[in-house]
Amino acid sequence: MSAAWELALKRIEEAKRLKASILYLEGLGLTRIPESIAQLKRLRILVLKGNQLTALPAWLGQAQNLTYLDLRGNRGLGIPQEVLDPFKPREILAYYFAQRTGARPLNEAKLILVGQGGVGKTSLVKALTTGKFNSREKTTEGIKISDWPCPLAKKEAVTIHIWDFGGQEMMHSTHQFFLTARSLYLLVLNRRPGGYDREVDYWMRLIRAFGGKDAPVIIVLNKQKSEPFDVNRGAWLEKYSENIKGFVETDCAVPTTITQLKKKIQEQLRSLNSLKASFPTQWFAIKEELATMATEFVTFDAYREICRKHGEQDPANQTLLAGFLHDLGIALNYKDDRRFLHFAYVLKPEWITRGIYALLHTFVKRNGLFSRTEAKAVLDKKGYGIEAADFILALMEQFELSFPLGDKQNRILIPQLLEDQQPEQAREFKPAECLNFGYQYPIVSEGLLPRFIVRTHHLSEPATRWKSGVILRDAASGCQALVRADAAEGQVRAHINGPEASRRELLAIIRHNFEIINGSYEFKPDDLVYAPGVPEVPVSVQELEALRNSAESVRPIVRPDKTVIKVSVDSLLEPVESAPRPLRLFLSYAHADQKHIEELRKSLKQMERNGLIHPWYDRELTAGERWNARILQELNEADVIVCQISRDFLASDFCVLTELDTAIKRKAAGEAELIAYILHESGWKDESKLKEFQVLPDDAKPISRWKNKHAYWQAVADGIQQALKKLQAQRPASLKERDVFRGLTFKSRKIETNRS
């Protein structure tokens, strides 16, 4: 018996004795999993990273309590890297056991062409797929998708889905929704005045942000016959060694150069792991039906029915397949994006892009301002019916590409199409007198500030929005903020003026919205703070934290006049660390009243965007999740429990005996606040348990006694907001988030284990 095996058994025995829910067996060189782990009935987290496993035992597939399973670094299991998300144990296990019953290589991949407009991407696609060249090829508007049967060997052909992205600048903000993992990228350049370094830097960072840090890229130097040129290959390879797989000089008028490009693409495809990934047999029929379906989109429930029809019954495998199809560009879905929790559709990609780009092109001269009626007229000409047009507009809002202005004309704004010129009001800000904060990005993507404008549009006016910035005004705090991006420096800066005691309230709103946006990117920016009166000198928060950890108490600041001041590290960090965290809301309701809880969610949206709350209700449960345990977990971690009182609620044993009773116990222990609002007359006054709750609206009138339903929901939301502000004021600002699991700290979806 090896020492590593003995150590593993010792840890298992210790976990049994302690009735532990965590077992850490990383890097022990195990070739198989000890059977005794099956006796750990409370096991929720199992770390087996960096071993030499070649098979998984059948009993592991039945381990229903697992919420975290780390199998990365065990190549012998044959599980694609993209599947090995430790936070998705059911999908990992479902994939592994499904492909064991019969599978074959997928042999499909996604090839994405990016670059500025006019570099010849569309001509390259045609030359690759047909061998033909038209010197007058039309410029691609939006995204054009082509299938290319690409031979890798005499008896081996694969299907390549080629995505040709239009190069117009206004389209760059939408790239992030289609750049995916499991893809090979062609970055196409041609000769142009000035250097190429900044252009390549922009595209490489964009690819790495959304396609992954090691996304393979071939640099194509196009139009060599008419306009020959070269680039600083050595420097680029040094900077992007993980990505750049080679340089190819091409000209579509010279067939031999296209042949060389094909060979380079084939070479990279052979090393693309996802191309060789085993695809369970029944998945091929599902994929084929979705690719050839007559409709342009289906609900996720209808997608699951298609899976069941072709023999895939496991919800986890259905979800996993949806992810594969999304990355391949066959059928898009956004199941893992929190913005799309209630937008569960499987979509044909060209149908989406054709509709979105039709609106972008039509309204670019109007600076992105149009009415719903005008939008539907544009989409009608493209073959979109009324329902489909509503779908596209809703998708754009979910993408944070646009937002409704809420005016009488029922108009919509696309911030990406706003003017470049900032308004005169921006010059009124004096940064030396403001509270200043910023972010340092590897790249400021085209969609960053427009998305921020969408998320905070309730705090700005039309005259104070432009493409790369916005002025926010918060009536509650009496403060305003100038927020703008500097693409050249890769920074976003916020300058906040107004009453000094209230400035951090507006800063908290700004940071909350940027944190949500930043969470959807692969790269993460550095937070920047500024010494009072020195807005020209940004200081990295990471640097300050390192100084504090090394017992340094001051940080020298070199001012523009070259004088030096020494500033306390704690004072620089204090504006960042004193921001209150969002309060967690648990929404309790009867399923018969679901349409009403959705109305409350709409009324709470502004508070959510302002970073005051993080609401949760059971529609956020995913397929296959143990709903009872998850509901109890959220209920026990909530700061505030909000109950929607109706006849159906009071008739539900689960609502009253589980959710209501748990809420009251937590209130008695001083752990949570309770709020109830009266939806229907239901004899609620006879329910003694509700005496513990603050009851809304103030006069307890049910919705049926309100002439204006919107006024009812606003009254409920206002009452919740008042209660939340009172609660936030009573609690210390430094209140820490609860750990998801004892002994573990989760940070940016990474797990760090205390092994002391």
Side-chain angles (χ1 to χ4, degrees):
M1 184 181 296
S2 70
W5 184 259
E6 288 183 355
L7 177 58
L9 295 181
K10 182 178 178 181
R11 289 184 182 177
I12 295 168
E13 289 303 315
E14 182 69 6
K16 283 185 198 175
R17 185 180 68 81
L18 296 174
K19 298 181 179 179
S21 61
I22 302 168
L23 182 60
Y24 187 90
L25 299 176
E26 178 180 350
L28 298 182
L30 301 177
T31 57
R32 60 188 176 90
I33 297 177
E35 292 290 329
S36 53
I37 293 178
Q39 300 170 21
L40 298 174
K41 302 302 182 184
R42 296 187 179 184
L43 189 63
R44 297 171 67 193
I45 299 169
L46 178 57
V47 180
L48 290 162
K49 182 180 179 181
N51 283 291
Q52 299 172 25
L53 302 176
T54 57
L56 300 180
W59 58 261
L60 189 59
Q62 308 303 316
Q64 296 296 319
N65 291 332
L66 279 180
T67 55
Y68 186 94
L69 176 62
D70 194 347
L71 291 171
R72 292 172 295 179
N74 289 277
R75 294 186 179 182
L77 293 175
I79 304 176
Q81 189 66 29
E82 298 90 342
V83 178
L84 290 170
D85 184 343
F87 288 87
K88 298 178 180 178
R90 288 213 59 188
E91 292 185 17
I92 295 172
L93 296 171
Y95 173 84
Y96 174 81
F97 288 108
Q99 58 97 17
R100 300 278 286 186
T101 61
R104 67 178 192 266
L106 175 58
N107 283 341
E108 294 190 28
K110 187 173 175 182
L111 177 67
I112 300 177
L113 281 77
V114 295
Q116 302 295 344
V119 297
K121 298 188 296 295
T122 304
S123 295
L124 277 174
V125 172
K126 181 168 284 189
L128 284 170
T129 56
T130 69
K132 298 178 181 179
F133 170 56
N134 179 2
S135 61
R136 298 181 179 179
E137 192 72 51
K138 291 183 179 180
T139 300
T140 298
E141 296 184 354
I143 299 173
K144 185 176 181 181
I145 304 172
S146 309
D147 284 349
W148 174 33
C150 176
L152 291 189
K154 289 183 179 180
K155 296 184 179 180
E156 183 183 13
V158 299
T159 299
I160 306 303
H161 307 286
I162 303 179
W163 284 52
D164 175 14
F165 280 81
Q168 296 93 328
E169 184 177 299
M170 70 175 178
M171 299 178 183
H172 294 179
S173 63
T174 62
H175 284 13
Q176 60 188 290
F177 305 110
F178 308 112
L179 301 184
T180 60
R182 287 189 277 270
S183 301
L184 173 63
Y185 290 84
L186 299 188
L187 172 51
V188 185
L189 307 172
N190 71 337
R191 184 175 182 177
R192 59 181 67 232
Y196 301 93
D197 290 349
R198 179 167 292 182
E199 180 181 342
V200 169
D201 200 49
Y202 171 83
W203 287 110
M204 291 300 299
R205 290 176 185 271
L206 196 69
I207 290 169
R208 291 178 66 166
F210 302 109
K213 293 180 180 179
D214 57 352
V217 182
I218 299 171
I219 306 289
V220 180
L221 310 179
N222 198 28
K223 301 186 180 180
Q224 288 287 332
K225 182 178 180 181
S226 57
E227 299 174 327
F229 71 103
D230 205 350
V231 296
N232 191 348
R233 304 186 187 198
W236 292 0
L237 283 169
E238 185 177 333
K239 191 171 185 178
Y240 297 110
S241 59
E242 293 180 342
N243 304 97
I244 296 178
K245 303 303 178 183
F247 297 81
V248 181
E249 298 180 6
T250 60
D251 194 297
C252 293
V254 183
T256 55
T257 65
I258 303 302
T259 300
Q260 290 300 314
L261 179 58
K262 284 184 179 180
K263 289 181 178 179
K264 194 65 179 179
I265 291 171
Q266 291 165 338
E267 174 189 312
Q268 289 306 309
L269 289 174
R270 292 189 187 98
S271 60
L272 200 64
N273 291 331
S274 58
L275 189 68
K276 305 167 187 174
S278 294
F279 223 52
T281 306
Q282 62 266 34
W283 286 12
F284 285 89
I286 300 168
K287 178 179 72 69
E288 184 63 25
E289 180 165 342
L290 289 171
T292 58
M293 64 184 181
T295 56
E296 303 290 355
F297 57 89
V298 295
T299 66
F300 212 78
D301 286 340
Y303 159 75
R304 292 194 185 282
E305 185 56 41
I306 292 171
C307 291
R308 288 191 288 268
K309 181 177 76 173
H310 292 290
E312 183 52 83
Q313 306 296 329
D314 193 312
N317 256 344
Q318 295 167 2
T319 303
L320 186 61
L321 172 59
F324 270 106
L325 297 176
H326 176 87
D327 286 349
L328 289 169
I330 295 170
L332 301 181
N333 70 90
Y334 299 92
K335 60 181 178 56
D336 290 330
D337 192 324
R338 288 191 60 82
R339 290 169 292 164
F340 295 86
L341 283 173
H342 312 307
F343 206 78
Y345 292 87
V346 176
L347 313 146
K348 285 190 175 179
E350 284 186 294
W351 182 80
I352 303 172
T353 59
R354 189 169 64 246
I356 291 176
Y357 289 125
L359 298 178
L360 286 172
H361 278 280
T362 302
F363 299 116
V364 65
K365 293 181 180 178
R366 301 255 298 269
N367 295 125
L369 188 62
F370 56 95
S371 69
R372 294 186 72 87
T373 301
E374 291 171 326
K376 289 180 178 180
V378 170
L379 292 172
D380 180 64
K381 292 179 182 179
K382 297 289 184 179
Y384 295 80
I386 294 176
E387 181 183 354
D390 285 334
F391 189 101
I392 291 292
L393 291 171
L395 187 63
M396 289 179 66
E397 189 174 342
Q398 294 283 356
F399 273 152
E400 295 175 355
L401 291 176
S402 65
F403 64 89
L405 294 177
D407 56 12
K408 292 181 180 179
Q409 297 98 320
N410 207 11
R411 291 183 299 173
I412 296 168
L413 178 67
I414 303 175
Q416 177 65 28
L417 303 181
L418 284 168
E419 292 183 357
D420 292 301
Q421 184 63 38
Q422 69 181 24
E424 282 297 316
Q425 293 97 309
R427 300 181 65 180
E428 297 173 6
F429 283 79
K430 299 179 180 179
E433 300 173 4
C434 294
L435 171 63
N436 303 301
F437 184 81
Y439 294 99
Q440 181 68 58
Y441 290 87
I443 178 175
V444 175
S445 67
E446 291 289 336
L448 181 64
L449 253 295
R451 282 186 66 186
F452 179 77
I453 293 170
V454 170
R455 293 191 60 85
T456 59
H457 70 268
H458 58 287
L459 296 175
S460 65
E461 298 294 333
T464 61
R465 304 174 185 132
W466 65 104
K467 187 185 295 185
S468 60
V470 64
I471 296 174
L472 306 180
R473 288 186 173 86
D474 181 23
S477 66
C479 296
Q480 60 179 0
L482 170 63
V483 183
R484 54 187 173 184
D486 186 329
E489 295 188 11
Q491 290 184 14
V492 169
R493 300 187 188 96
H495 310 292
I496 304 163
N497 62 22
E500 291 192 21
S502 303
R503 293 179 180 182
R504 286 175 191 167
E505 294 179 25
L506 184 51
L507 175 59
I509 294 173
I510 293 168
R511 292 186 64 209
H512 171 75
N513 283 282
F514 271 115
E515 283 170 8
I516 290 176
I517 295 170
N518 295 338
S520 63
Y521 297 156
E522 179 71 24
F523 57 75
K524 298 295 181 287
D526 288 339
D527 291 357
L528 303 176
V529 293
Y530 301 77
V534 194
E536 305 89 350
V537 184
V539 184
S540 165
V541 168
Q542 288 183 324
E543 176 192 334
L544 292 171
E545 289 174 342
L547 287 172
R548 187 164 63 182
N549 291 338
S550 63
E552 292 288 342
S553 60
V554 296
R555 203 279 197 180
I557 305 287
V558 181
R559 295 189 293 199
D561 63 2
K562 305 307 177 186
T563 59
V564 178
I565 59 174
K566 293 185 178 181
V567 184
S568 162
V569 170
D570 286 340
S571 68
L572 287 168
L573 286 172
E574 200 265 340
V576 179
E577 297 179 332
S578 63
R581 68 172 176 85
L583 293 170
R584 299 175 67 127
L585 265 65
F586 181 94
L587 305 182
S588 175
Y589 70 105
H591 282 181
D593 302 321
Q594 182 174 308
K595 66 177 183 180
H596 297 293
I597 204 72
E598 297 292 352
E599 291 299 318
L600 177 64
R601 284 299 306 265
K602 293 177 185 177
S603 298
L604 296 177
K605 196 66 182 178
Q606 184 168 323
M607 281 184 272
E608 187 175 354
R609 282 181 170 163
N610 285 354
L612 293 175
I613 60 172
H614 175 72
W616 188 90
Y617 66 152
D618 62 6
R619 281 210 62 189
E620 298 192 19
L621 291 166
T622 58
E625 190 169 3
R626 299 176 71 245
W627 63 271
N628 194 2
R630 176 70 187 280
I631 288 174
L632 288 175
Q633 177 186 332
E634 294 291 339
L635 188 59
N636 280 294
E637 292 182 350
D639 299 298
V640 181
I641 293 115
V642 180
C643 294
Q644 179 176 268
I645 306 302
S646 68
R647 183 178 63 179
D648 289 296
F649 180 92
L650 295 176
S652 167
D653 286 343
F654 192 85
C655 288
V656 174
L657 300 180
T658 300
E659 295 183 358
L660 199 57
D661 281 358
T662 302
I664 292 169
K665 289 176 183 176
R666 296 196 63 227
K667 165 72 172 178
E671 297 174 347
E673 292 299 321
L674 312 182
I675 298 174
Y677 62 95
I678 308 306
L679 184 64
H680 299 139
E681 291 283 13
S682 52
W684 64 273
K685 292 181 181 178
D686 297 329
E687 179 55 73
S688 60
K689 296 176 181 180
L690 292 175
K691 292 178 182 178
E692 302 287 338
F693 285 73
Q694 177 182 344
V695 178
L696 300 172
D698 288 340
D699 52 6
K701 283 197 310 184
I703 193 170
S704 60
R705 291 169 55 189
W706 289 70
K707 292 182 180 179
N708 186 327
K709 300 299 187 287
H710 292 296
Y712 167 83
W713 289 112
Q714 192 58 51
V716 172
D718 288 346
I720 291 174
Q721 184 167 13
Q722 290 173 11
L724 295 178
K725 285 189 173 181
K726 183 179 179 181
L727 176 61
Q728 195 70 275
Q730 292 172 347
R731 293 193 171 193
S734 61
L735 189 63
K736 295 182 178 179
E737 291 278 9
R738 297 176 180 86
D739 285 344
V740 180
F741 303 110
R742 189 170 68 180
L744 295 173
T745 301
F746 287 79
K747 211 169 190 180
S748 302
R749 288 184 61 78
K750 291 181 180 178
I751 183 170
E752 298 173 358
T753 306
N754 184 349
R755 285 181 272 175
S756 58

